[in-house]
Amino acid sequence: MSPSQERSISVENLLGIRNHPRGSCGCVHRTTAACIVVNIIYMLVLYVCFKQLHSPLRQVPFKCSHLTLLPNPILHSHHFVTSKFDSYAQRVFLLDSTVFHSPEEAFHLDYERMEEEFKVFVYPDGDPETYFHTPRKLTGKYASEGYFFKNIRESRFVTDDPRRAHLFFLPISCHKMRGRGLTNERMTDEVKKYVQYVKFKYPYWNRTLGADHFFVTCHDIGVKATKGVPHLMKNSIRVVCSSRYDDDDYIPHKDVTLPQVQLPFYNPPGGNDFKNRNTLAFWAGLSDSRLKDNLRAMWNNDTELDIQNNRIDFRSTGRVVFMDRLYKSKFCLCPQGPIGSSRISDSIHFGCVPVIMSNYYDLPFNDILDWRKFSVILKERDVYRLKDILKSMSDKNFMILNQNLVKIQKHFTWNTPPVRLDAFHMVMYELWLRRHLIRY
């Protein structure tokens, strides 16, 4: 056979092989078509996941078969990367319909478990007529402390059997001491004597060095009075209104922020009344910090920001004027100062979206509620571009914040007797989350 014949046979064989029908596993055209279809389906799945992830009603990461798309860690962090080209609203708002960090169903299941199981032993010692067991009053901006003392007695959480208790409550009221005119030194001595008495009479403090004990104080004088007992500050759970990290020895995740509410509220809570809120932002107070000095210097004469460099006199017509401004403002500025303030709770009650301006501050129920869903959180340096940040927010995003704000108003309401999911029960839930403590 000549070489030319061999080549001819080889070509014919190749053509025969190419045109010969094969099984499905070997069909090039069918395989290619199948790959194209699979790729199209995969791209559609990615597109649906992307749309679901960026939907404003998403609550948890959206799962597609084996794919799990997680939220953007930059957008969902507490602090945001700034850029002069993007707006605050564009960076922040992946808003959900839920206001909780965890799925709402998970929160309610654990909350119901708390109501059934959580037990607190209240030390029975101390004269109720002096500094123990009974609040000084249930009015004013320190009323939260008084309500807690009263509510825990009226709740299902108290047990007479310390062996069943998860936590132990030290019912000493520094606010009542202050009302009786005790000096700081005298208050510190009273706290020391009481803790020493508890140590020697009961075995519960010594087995944990106070780690499963807690006390409640809203006035800043109470923080000073308890600093004289090292283990009380270091180990025990402090339920306090002053929750600054920098100068009050507040320890996040151990201590609990008590919402400081100025009671009573004479007007009903603000609702989703967007059209009536014509003022961009409102603040009234004294310049007792550098941040407030900068706030006043920058925006005191601005026509869209209502900045009042004075403390409103509630004894005359001040309260009416103050509440009217809260009802008519979209945002209420809450700059950090040297002492506690009920400004945040006031803003929530009147439906005015709070603008938190602080570098180091633990917000009430921060372990439970996602404050980015119903407030604006800024650094202190953002005071210089405050107006641009607030004006960059769209009406839609503001409405979502306002709607979520109305949802959480019940969590900042004190009642007597206490009501499910109110401020007292939310504080108890924070304590419930801290019931598993290190045993020495």
Side-chain angles (χ1 to χ4, degrees), residues 29-178:
H29 295 291
R30 292 180 182 177
T31 302
T32 303
C35 289
I36 293 173
V37 171
V38 169
N39 282 325
I40 292 174
I41 294 174
Y42 181 74
M43 294 302 292
L44 288 174
V45 170
L46 287 178
Y47 176 77
V48 172
C49 291
F50 179 84
K51 295 294 288 183
Q52 289 286 339
L53 175 64
H54 289 79
S55 169
L57 298 179
R58 288 303 303 162
Q59 172 183 338
V60 295
F62 181 74
K63 297 181 179 180
C64 298
S65 67
H66 66 284
L67 266 172
T68 300
L69 298 182
L70 296 175
N72 189 325
I74 297 178
L75 289 174
H76 280 254
S77 64
H78 184 71
H79 308 299
F80 307 102
V81 180
T82 59
S83 169
K84 64 182 180 180
F85 298 108
D86 59 355
S87 68
Y88 179 87
Q90 289 172 332
R91 293 198 308 275
V92 175
F93 287 104
L94 287 179
L95 288 173
D96 299 346
S97 59
T98 180
V99 293
F100 299 98
H101 286 298
S102 60
E104 191 166 349
E105 295 81 2
F107 163 74
H108 284 289
L109 285 173
D110 197 41
Y111 177 88
E112 290 173 0
R113 184 186 170 202
M114 175 203 69
E115 288 189 317
E116 295 176 0
E117 300 180 12
F118 193 30
K119 296 300 177 184
V120 173
F121 179 75
V122 181
Y123 283 105
D125 309 276
D127 180 8
E129 298 302 320
T130 54
Y131 322 121
F132 303 92
H133 303 288
T134 55
R136 181 186 174 198
K137 58 181 182 178
L138 297 178
T139 58
K141 64 180 180 179
Y142 304 117
S144 300
E145 176 183 327
Y147 265 95
F148 186 90
F149 272 70
K150 183 174 177 58
N151 285 354
I152 196 167
R153 288 290 187 185
E154 301 172 348
S155 72
R156 68 179 73 183
F157 301 111
V158 174
T159 177
D160 294 329
D161 184 1
R163 294 171 298 180
R164 298 181 57 205
H166 297 89
L167 296 178
F168 297 79
F169 177 42
L170 299 168
I172 186 167
S173 175
C174 295
H175 188 216
K176 200 169 184 179
M177 291 182 188
R178 179 178 180 270

Side-chain angles (χ1 to χ4, degrees), residues 178-197:
R178 179 178 180 270
R180 290 180 177 267
L182 269 66
T183 63
N184 291 352
E185 292 76 15
R186 282 283 311 278
M187 284 192 289
T188 302
D189 290 339
E190 288 292 334
V191 175
K192 282 183 179 179
K193 287 191 296 184
Y194 182 69
V195 174
Q196 288 295 330
Y197 175 81

Side-chain angles (χ1 to χ4, degrees), residues 298-343:
M298 282 292 299
W299 308 109
N300 192 37
N301 298 319
D302 192 89
T303 57
E304 295 180 271
L305 300 179
D306 186 2
I307 306 299
Q308 301 291 324
N309 183 32
N310 57 69
R311 185 170 291 165
I312 293 179
D313 184 10
F314 289 148
R315 297 178 182 176
S316 57
T317 59
R319 184 180 296 276
V320 177
V321 174
F322 180 72
M323 291 187 296
D324 185 63
R325 287 173 174 168
L326 291 175
Y327 278 128
K328 292 184 177 180
S329 298
K330 296 176 65 176
F331 300 97
C332 287
L333 306 182
C334 304
Q336 176 63 44
I339 59 175
S341 172
S342 60
R343 185 175 283 110

Side-chain angles (χ1 to χ4, degrees), residues 4 24 28 73 90 125 130 141 149 157 179 199 217 225-226 232 245 253 260 273 284 292 295 302 339 388 420:
S4 59
S24 58
V28 176
Q90 289 172 332
D125 309 276
T130 54
K141 64 180 180 179
F149 272 70
F157 301 111
K199 283 182 182 180
T217 180
T226 52
L232 189 65
Y245 303 169
H253 308 299
Q260 189 169 357
D273 47 352
K292 294 179 182 178
L295 179 64
D302 192 89
I339 59 175
D388 291 337
R420 294 187 80 243

